[in-house]
Amino acid sequence: MCEFHQGSHSHQTIDPAAAEMIEKANRENVETTWDRFEQQKPQCGFGDLGVCCRNCLQGPCRINPFGEPKEGICGADADLIVARNLLRTIVGGAASHVDHSYMALHCLKEAAEGKAPYALKGADKIKSVAAKLGIATQGKSDNALAQEIVRAALADFSSYSDEPMGWLKATVSPGLLEAWSKLGILPKNPDREIRTAMHQTSMGVDGSPINLLLSSLKMGLVDGYAGLQMGTDIQDILFGIPYPVKTEANLGVLSHDKVNVVVHGHMPEVSEKIVEWARKLEGEAIKAGAAGINVAGICCSGNEVLMRQGVPLAGNYLSQELAIITGAVELIVVDVQCFMPSLTKVAACYHTKVVTTTPIGQLPDAEYIPFTPENADVKAQETIRMAIAAYAKRDAAKVQIPTHKSEAWGGFSVETIVQALSKLDAANPLKPLIDNIVAGNVLGAVGVVGCNNVKAVQDQQTVEMVKDLLANNVLVVATGCTAHALAKYGFLTPAGAKKYAGEKLLAVLTAVGEAAGLGGPLPPVLHMGSCVDNSRIGDLLGALAGYLGVAIKDLPVAASAPELQHEKAVSIGTWAVALGVLTHVGVVPPVLGSPLVTKVLTGDLEGLTGGKFLVETDPHLAAEGMMAHIRAKRKALGI
Ligand code: BF8
Ligand code: SF4
């Protein structure tokens, strides 16, 4: 422990705070993810191409793309193996999001029945979700309505019928329903779809790569509507619809004299309670000699509490170990998804406590404080008190907090965006945006989403690509770890508009920002939240398409995951292409071993849904590719 020796690092991040902490890790002999990446090199070529199969115990089998063998022991060829592996990856992503939304649903159920200490803060969202589900609202209390919403969601999870998922039907346009129905990809009960896809990909079932690719699209919709959409709708009901907040981002948000508590993972039921009790127990921290309690966020937990509470962001995926390496974090609390198993090893080199909170997300050397909706207040207090106790053990000699941080605005829900635009046209809030797109002041819009990936220099592809888009008057919205990335370099500020936006885009951002009372331009990148909040981007696209009377596939828009790593990013991307959106990925997914799958995903798919993948590791070419697509869509619309 703390005795790792490694060679020199070159070029891992463009984030000066991260670079400073990597240097500190080297000095203190603490191993980081980049060291382990070096140890993995060279990574397996078969795995990289997606042509390794372990779906039965006769394997592993692998296909040689340049010669023999061309088939696995059972006769599966490269196309089949790649298509099966891809569907399993998307199942992994969809299952993560659907389970996330199910956990939120459980919390809402307990809260609405008065069994869990969560106020339903999103009264407006209760009404809008009830309305879209066709639940009559008149004369009913928020709690009664929430219970009906819970029943509607549970009906999807227990559905035995062949009817498509209710939540999906309630959310999308009739045009999309029809298109997906024709393709045979409308999902039914989401749990059943996940089971069926695991079955379909097991040894000796589906031998048709095309059929498997269609199931992949269906699984993208499972993610989109039982994961992202249901998750966001329910979280907004529980914790409130986000509205604009100003905060700060990067490791410099950690405090020298306060108890630092980092929330990491994805579940706002945990992170919101941590924030609440950190505020309530501040007096105890002061008694213990600290100046207070400072909560900061990593990954999507960070995004959730930024969006609704203005909590600062400590860092994105690749910065999670580095936060501990500052020596100033008393406690890091995780729930599910995206926390590295290495955290406890890094924490052992400092005084940092690692707390796990869910039965499925445990780390052997962490403290396990099992949170449930019912006991969340008690467990959050226990967690905060553990952090306060750890403060006394902070070793001043080991503390080095980078000074880097940037101002960052967040909270751009669709409701916020519409509210800001309504200051220009109260009756028709989307009209000013559409008018500016038609006039060419806004060339189009790109949703930049997803992760960091150790295969790419941290934040570099995201930042370089977004610079090009903004300079060419493309509006950018962001979620997930790319939102963190852009936050760190000032893209989420009014000043960022002046620095990065093209002249025409700047004029539009200024007009909207001033009308909305911000006293300056809107940020050129609108932070729309966590990865489940990608549903907000879907809602916005649906609203724009509906307003114009066209399909989403006809809009001058694109999506991009420049540094994706997680299976969830692949399933979200698949949902986006099913919606008809050109979706760029900046890290090559393991599909190139199948010419057929590659051709369908990057070409033929367009004929089916209107969307397809653009694979490009050069950020400038990626921006160019998306802008070429946007220009073509404008031309087709006659604008
Ligand atoms: O769900 S962006 S590294 S934190 S997977 Fe994970 Fe990727 Fe970050 Fe959020 Ni999303
Ligand atoms: Fe090999 Fe076929 Fe078994 Fe896969 S399913 S491991 S290709 S025999």
Side-chain angles (χ1 to χ4, degrees):
M1 210 172 291
C2 322
E3 285 175 353
F4 174 77
H5 300 278
Q6 77 297 294
S8 65
H9 294 282
S10 61
H11 217 47
Q12 294 138 329
T13 180
I14 59 164
D15 174 355
E20 189 183 327
M21 285 306 100
I22 294 169
E23 262 181 56
K24 182 170 189 277
N26 291 347
R27 267 198 326 271
E28 294 175 354
N29 288 322
V30 179
E31 186 185 80
T32 67
T33 189
W34 286 280
D35 302 310
R36 294 186 296 272
F37 180 47
E38 288 304 314
Q39 292 159 15
Q40 284 296 331
K41 286 181 180 171
Q43 288 180 295
C44 171
F46 297 105
D48 229 8
L49 294 172
V51 292
C52 170
C53 181
R54 294 182 298 111
N55 290 13
C56 87
L57 304 193
Q58 300 174 95
C61 298
R62 74 268 185 280
I63 307 303
N64 181 352
F66 310 107
E68 299 296 326
K70 289 244 168 291
E71 291 175 354
I73 292 162
C74 67
D77 64 9
D79 293 332
L80 181 56
I81 290 173
V82 168
R84 271 196 316 217
N85 287 345
L86 177 66
L87 177 51
R88 285 204 165 185
T89 296
I90 297 169
V91 168
S96 304
H97 281 141
V98 173
D99 211 35
H100 172 148
S101 105
Y102 197 86
M103 287 157 87
L105 180 61
H106 175 59
C107 186
L108 177 61
K109 182 174 184 297
E110 298 299 279
E113 291 172 4
K115 296 178 191 157
Y118 292 86
L120 309 186
K121 292 190 187 154
D124 292 352
K125 199 72 171 206
I126 293 179
K127 296 200 178 57
S128 63
V129 172
K132 84 169 178 182
L133 291 167
I135 297 170
T137 55
Q138 237 180 357
K140 292 179 188 161
S141 70
D142 284 355
N143 273 33
L145 275 174
Q147 289 181 40
E148 283 194 57
I149 290 169
V150 167
R151 281 196 289 278
L154 289 175
D156 272 337
F157 285 107
S158 57
S159 166
Y160 180 71
S161 91
D162 282 336
E163 272 295 295
M165 259 190 71
W167 215 276
L168 179 152
K169 282 200 292 183
T171 303
V172 306
S173 69
L176 273 177
L177 269 182
E178 196 191 325
W180 292 338
S181 169
K182 274 194 191 140
L183 288 172
I185 59 169
L186 277 174
K188 304 180 276 278
N189 174 335
D191 285 349
R192 178 174 159 202
E193 298 295 358
I194 287 167
R195 158 165 45 93
T196 301
M198 288 306 284
H199 180 189
Q200 184 180 2
T201 48
S202 70
M203 192 272 150
V205 184
D206 203 343
S208 161
I210 295 296
N211 201 37
L212 286 155
L213 288 173
L214 285 168
S215 293
S216 290
L217 285 177
K218 187 195 267 191
M219 197 50 56
L221 299 184
V222 169
D223 189 326
Y225 299 98
L228 314 181
Q229 189 79 43
M230 193 187 280
T232 305
D233 287 345
I234 287 168
Q235 289 176 180
D236 276 0
I237 289 173
L238 274 166
F239 306 110
I241 298 169
Y243 288 102
V245 283
K246 188 166 91 167
T247 184
E248 292 178 323
N250 212 343
L251 291 168
V253 306
L254 295 173
S255 170
H256 278 280
D257 54 7
K258 291 184 180 174
V259 174
N260 288 308
V261 177
V262 169
V263 291
H264 178 11
H266 287 78
M267 308 299 303
E269 328 45 316
V270 174
S271 49
E272 283 271 341
K273 280 293 173 193
I274 295 292
V275 172
E276 181 185 332
W277 282 100
R279 287 174 184 158
K280 286 182 178 162
L281 297 180
E282 191 128 46
E284 292 188 21
I286 291 167
K287 265 193 214 138
I293 302 177
N294 176 45
V295 181
I298 288 196
C299 284
C300 282
S301 284
N303 287 323
E304 296 285 358
V305 287
L306 175 149
M307 290 286 281
R308 299 191 185 87
Q309 303 287 347
V311 168
L313 298 174
N316 46 6
Y317 171 77
L318 280 178
S319 290
Q320 58 184 284
E321 296 172 313
L322 307 180
I324 298 175
I325 290 166
T326 62
V329 171
E330 273 58 53
L331 184 145
I332 179 165
V333 52
V334 300
D335 42 58
V336 287
Q337 302 170 18
C338 300
F339 54 91
M340 294 185 196
S342 64
L343 288 183
T344 43
K345 293 196 194 80
V346 178
C349 303
Y350 303 91
H351 72 303
T352 310
K353 295 276 183 197
V354 180
V355 170
T356 57
T357 54
T358 70
I360 61 162
Q362 306 217 18
L363 296 171
D365 295 316
E367 313 281 341
Y368 178 40
I369 302 186
F371 272 62
T372 64
E374 296 82 359
N375 73 14
D377 276 335
V378 176
K379 296 299 173 185
Q381 291 176 64
E382 204 180 306
T383 309
I384 296 296
R385 291 202 170 103
M386 191 183 283
I388 294 171
Y391 181 74
K393 305 208 181 81
R394 194 191 282 187
D395 178 353
K398 281 188 173 176
V399 173
Q400 180 184 336
I401 302 175
T403 53
H404 303 279
K405 60 180 174 180
S406 168
E407 180 187 313
W409 286 79
F412 290 93
S413 57
V414 176
E415 290 84 347
T416 288
I417 294 170
V418 168
Q419 198 179 64
L421 290 169
S422 69
K423 297 289 183 325
L424 293 173
D425 188 335
N428 239 336
L430 291 179
K431 188 167 180 293
L433 180 57
I434 299 281
D435 287 351
N436 276 302
I437 294 174
V438 170
N441 297 329
V442 177
L443 186 69
V446 174
V448 183
V449 309
C451 324
N452 292 141
N453 183 321
V454 76
K455 289 177 178 171
V457 176
Q458 184 185 20
D459 303 339
Q460 187 177 50
Q461 291 183 181
T462 303
V463 164
E464 290 304 310
M465 191 186 78
V466 168
K467 274 187 193 165
D468 284 5
L469 293 172
L470 294 176
N472 286 284
N473 302 302
V474 175
L475 179 67
V476 172
V477 299
T479 58
C481 287
T482 59
H484 282 254
L486 295 163
K488 289 191 261 182
Y489 309 97
F491 287 88
L492 307 190
T493 61
K498 292 178 187 147
K499 187 165 173 195
Y500 297 113
E503 219 174 289
K504 292 177 182 173
L505 178 62
L506 176 61
V508 177
L509 295 169
T510 305
V512 181
E514 281 178 355
L518 294 181
L522 276 182
V525 176
L526 302 180
H527 187 342
M528 292 189 77
S530 64
C531 291
V532 294
D533 288 339
N534 280 315
S535 64
R536 301 189 199 279
I537 301 179
D539 282 340
L540 190 58
L541 291 175
L544 290 173
Y547 180 85
L548 281 171
V550 300
I552 288 175
K553 68 180 165 61
D554 300 320
L555 294 173
V557 300
S560 168
E563 300 172 36
L564 73 169
Q565 61 88 3
H566 204 282
E567 289 173 323
K568 293 177 287 173
V570 183
S571 55
I572 294 172
T574 308
W575 165 65
V577 296
L579 275 174
V581 178
L582 174 79
T583 301
H584 160 249
V585 288
V587 175
V588 183
V591 298
L592 295 190
S594 164
L596 174 71
V597 172
T598 305
K599 179 171 160 293
V600 172
L601 294 179
T602 59
D604 303 354
L605 193 54
E606 200 170 13
L608 298 179
T609 67
K612 64 176 177 181
F613 285 102
L614 166 67
V615 183
E616 179 54 69
T617 56
D618 178 302
H620 305 291
L621 295 179
E624 255 177 49
M626 288 189 282
M627 289 190 291
H629 172 82
I630 285 172
R631 289 195 183 96
K633 292 292 170 187
R634 293 182 62 92
K635 201 166 167 206
L637 284 171
I639 59 176

